[in-house]
Amino acid sequence: MYYNGIYHFFYQYNPKGAVWGNIVWAHSVSKDLINWEALEPAIYPSKPFDINGCWSGSTTILPGNKPVILYTGIDPQQRQLQNYAVPTNLSDPYLRKWTKPDNNPLVVPDQDINATAFRDPTTAWWGNDGHWRILVGGKRKHRGMAFLYRSRDFVNWIKAKHPLHSSADTGMWECPDFYPVSKMGKTGLDTSFLGQNVKYVLKVSLDLTRFEYYTVGKYVLNEDRYVPDNTSVDGWGGLRYDYGNFYASKTFFDAGLNRRILWGWANESDTRDDDIQKGWAGIQLIPRMVWLDDSGKQLLQWPIKELETLRGKNVQMRNKVMKSGEEVEIKGITAAQADVDVTFSLPSLDKAEKYDPSWDDAQKLCYQKGSDVKGGIGPFGLLTLASKNLEEYTPVFFRIFKASNNKHVVLMCSDARSSSLKDGLYKPTFAGFVDVDLSDKKLSLRSLIDHSVVESFGSGGKTCITSRVYPTLAIFKGAHLYAFNNGTEKVTVENLNAWSMKKPSMMNGSIEL
């Protein structure tokens, strides 16, 4: 949350080891979302209503500028209950201490709710009828549910007769998120905003797939129902924030800069023993600004501008034509920790491969047609975290197909299969389709590379893919970066900027107020 000029980040943390368990709410603060100071945990198991864990939740700023935390606690019967906590001392700018009032829990599962699948309350929003509303994720048999609760005083909550939304055969809905987005421009909206020219986003993290899905639609106020647009697939085939290693995300309204920030988590892709040896497991990705695309059909995401303060040495490439099979090294930067922004231009789309309508699974298509499988237009893109002789590399690339209606289908991939010589790793292909107009015959790609993670943003943030990789040779100064083209058609690197990235500070001291 953003509160009185400071960003507060609360996250699920085990202070006793790099494995899941003993979950508390860790707490860090920042002035810029980049450089962070770790504080003591804000919430830890201490009461009957959360003695077996303080699980995920959200923050809401109440009238009078008073923040409140809603979170899921696990009681002695392993029931999932919704609780709240408030700052012990509002005059402390860091809000180090939090108090759990004695009237907890606020929401308990009734006889119609599976008490072991009832968690992750959302940020609350205020309706024009004088009621606060929250969602709690759950399931009913195999149907994913966003249970809706209302309250006039933020203490006494009543379950609505109907969920805000549900979807068949999607399983448990974790970490639901519901918020308005403007139909015009990039300006973010407060979660309680009510007005014209607004659409709504409902995001759920599906426990069954470990991916996140969202729809864009309409909030029917008088019925308290959410209705996805007919252009949004409501289920496993729908849109994702990120088509890679990205889960349990939350958004918040940044009132300081009037933007909505999305922040997601990536787990490890190596083994539990590796995590124990490292002493840590799981990372937060780069915070992303999120807004509605001009089409109104999907969201766009882009790394927050503050990230650019970490940029160091810059190298550029202009109008470099890459022939079929060519690799061009991008030298002069630290390739293990870099920010790369490139625009590719295509002389012609005539050589695009024919698209088979049965290729509706982008991940499977990327597996079949990897970066070393020659196509007509593509694969072309970047070889990130590459060793000198390409024993290891993580390619991020595009491939263009032509459908029967003469429209083009753009596939974007981030493929970890060749990322490491180490055994025992999960090295998947990740992929998504990009809804982009190719009339100008250009495609853009931005990749943030940071040792074991590659976050990529295709076509200005229309399709995003995160990969976790663990190279053994392509580390530190042994890491290289290339632009490549394995299609038969030439591809031009029209404009490439690459920066070495400095390390942000993770302080144990104090940030300047």
Side-chain angles (χ1 to χ4, degrees), residues 312-318 329-334 338-341 481 495-500:
K313 186 175 181 182
N314 170 245
V315 296
Q316 299 178 348
M317 186 183 295
R318 300 284 184 273
E329 184 167 7
I330 299 152
K331 298 180 179 180
I333 61 165
T334 305
D339 182 352
V340 189
D341 199 348
L481 174 67
N495 186 16
L496 181 146
N497 271 286
W499 294 266
S500 294

XYZ file of all heavy atoms in Angstrom, residues 312-318 329-334 338-341 481 495-500:
186
model
N 22.765 1.823 -15.729
C 24.144 2.282 -15.793
C 24.579 2.476 -17.224
O 23.946 3.195 -17.990
N 25.668 1.807 -17.609
C 26.223 1.968 -18.943
C 25.208 1.565 -20.011
O 24.496 0.568 -19.878
C 27.488 1.120 -19.079
C 28.221 1.334 -20.397
C 29.534 0.581 -20.461
C 30.254 0.836 -21.776
N 31.514 0.078 -21.879
N 25.167 2.326 -21.090
C 24.215 2.108 -22.173
C 24.953 1.801 -23.477
O 25.967 2.423 -23.791
C 23.347 3.358 -22.359
C 22.493 3.316 -23.608
O 22.662 4.111 -24.522
N 21.573 2.379 -23.657
N 24.448 0.812 -24.197
C 24.931 0.557 -25.556
C 23.731 0.548 -26.491
O 22.602 0.241 -26.072
C 25.715 -0.772 -25.669
C 26.972 -0.723 -24.825
C 24.848 -1.956 -25.283
N 23.965 0.881 -27.756
C 22.878 1.003 -28.715
C 23.224 0.265 -30.009
O 24.395 0.057 -30.334
C 22.606 2.479 -29.031
C 22.201 3.296 -27.818
C 21.985 4.759 -28.152
O 22.340 5.226 -29.241
N 21.393 5.498 -27.225
N 22.175 -0.126 -30.697
C 22.340 -0.737 -32.022
C 21.229 -0.168 -32.905
O 20.069 -0.088 -32.479
C 22.232 -2.264 -31.914
C 22.520 -3.016 -33.200
S 22.278 -4.818 -33.006
C 23.567 -5.209 -31.835
N 21.573 0.216 -34.125
C 20.599 0.826 -35.019
C 20.662 0.157 -36.388
O 21.743 -0.045 -36.951
C 20.881 2.324 -35.193
C 20.835 3.147 -33.910
C 19.405 3.404 -33.446
N 19.373 4.265 -32.280
C 19.459 3.845 -31.021
N 19.584 2.550 -30.776
N 19.413 4.698 -30.013
N 26.139 -10.272 -31.129
C 26.340 -10.049 -29.699
C 26.197 -8.569 -29.366
O 26.665 -7.694 -30.097
C 27.700 -10.557 -29.235
C 27.875 -10.407 -27.718
C 29.049 -11.162 -27.139
O 29.852 -11.725 -27.912
O 29.162 -11.194 -25.892
N 25.528 -8.316 -28.240
C 25.371 -6.954 -27.722
C 26.413 -6.797 -26.621
O 26.251 -7.322 -25.512
C 23.939 -6.733 -27.197
C 22.951 -6.919 -28.356
C 23.790 -5.362 -26.589
C 21.601 -7.390 -27.952
N 27.511 -6.135 -26.958
C 28.660 -6.045 -26.062
C 28.670 -4.705 -25.333
O 28.003 -3.757 -25.725
C 29.951 -6.208 -26.856
C 30.101 -7.549 -27.556
C 31.415 -7.620 -28.318
C 31.595 -8.969 -29.006
N 32.888 -9.041 -29.748
N 29.461 -4.661 -24.261
C 29.685 -3.401 -23.572
C 28.845 -3.183 -22.333
O 28.947 -2.141 -21.682
N 27.977 -4.143 -22.002
C 27.185 -4.048 -20.779
C 27.364 -5.329 -19.968
O 27.914 -6.319 -20.455
C 25.685 -3.842 -21.068
C 25.123 -5.023 -21.875
C 25.441 -2.526 -21.794
C 23.623 -5.067 -21.898
N 26.880 -5.302 -18.751
C 26.894 -6.488 -17.906
C 25.649 -7.304 -18.230
O 24.546 -6.980 -17.781
C 26.899 -6.101 -16.411
O 28.008 -5.239 -16.176
C 27.015 -7.331 -15.530
N 20.715 -6.703 -16.764
C 20.554 -5.735 -17.845
C 19.084 -5.429 -18.112
O 18.185 -6.203 -17.761
C 21.210 -6.273 -19.126
N 18.875 -4.294 -18.743
C 17.557 -3.852 -19.221
C 17.709 -3.631 -20.720
O 18.493 -2.781 -21.147
C 17.171 -2.557 -18.496
C 15.790 -2.042 -18.874
O 15.170 -2.583 -19.804
O 15.323 -1.069 -18.235
N 16.988 -4.423 -21.504
C 17.145 -4.398 -22.958
C 15.801 -4.034 -23.594
O 14.785 -4.681 -23.322
C 17.605 -5.766 -23.501
C 17.981 -5.647 -24.972
C 18.770 -6.312 -22.690
N 15.808 -3.022 -24.440
C 14.590 -2.568 -25.112
C 14.881 -2.507 -26.608
O 15.752 -1.743 -27.042
C 14.187 -1.190 -24.579
C 12.736 -0.854 -24.865
O 12.110 -1.575 -25.671
O 12.224 0.122 -24.288
N 24.859 -11.637 -24.169
C 23.544 -11.269 -24.698
C 23.640 -11.140 -26.208
O 24.571 -10.516 -26.729
C 23.095 -9.938 -24.080
C 21.810 -9.313 -24.610
C 20.602 -10.169 -24.240
C 21.641 -7.895 -24.041
N 16.074 -0.547 -33.665
C 16.501 0.311 -32.560
C 16.659 -0.553 -31.317
O 15.698 -1.183 -30.875
C 15.461 1.410 -32.328
C 15.908 2.415 -31.302
O 17.095 2.471 -30.965
N 14.988 3.207 -30.780
N 17.852 -0.607 -30.770
C 18.099 -1.377 -29.545
C 18.850 -0.517 -28.549
O 19.856 0.115 -28.878
C 18.893 -2.645 -29.851
C 19.219 -3.566 -28.656
C 19.214 -5.033 -29.079
C 20.558 -3.226 -28.005
N 18.326 -0.475 -27.323
C 19.013 0.147 -26.196
C 19.183 -0.909 -25.115
O 18.214 -1.603 -24.761
C 18.212 1.319 -25.632
C 18.540 2.626 -26.322
O 19.605 3.198 -26.098
N 17.633 3.085 -27.178
N 20.384 -1.031 -24.593
C 20.640 -1.973 -23.505
C 21.450 -1.265 -22.428
O 22.387 -0.519 -22.734
C 21.392 -3.203 -24.017
N 21.056 -1.495 -21.191
C 21.722 -0.862 -20.061
C 22.212 -1.922 -19.070
O 21.486 -2.892 -18.777
C 20.773 0.058 -19.290
C 20.302 1.266 -20.018
C 20.845 2.517 -19.997
C 19.143 1.366 -20.874
N 20.116 3.376 -20.777
C 19.059 2.691 -21.323
C 18.166 0.443 -21.284
C 18.047 3.129 -22.167
C 17.172 0.877 -22.122
C 17.110 2.209 -22.567
N 23.394 -1.740 -18.539
C 23.778 -2.475 -17.341
C 22.931 -1.941 -16.188
O 22.647 -0.743 -16.119
C 25.257 -2.257 -17.014
O 26.088 -2.820 -17.997
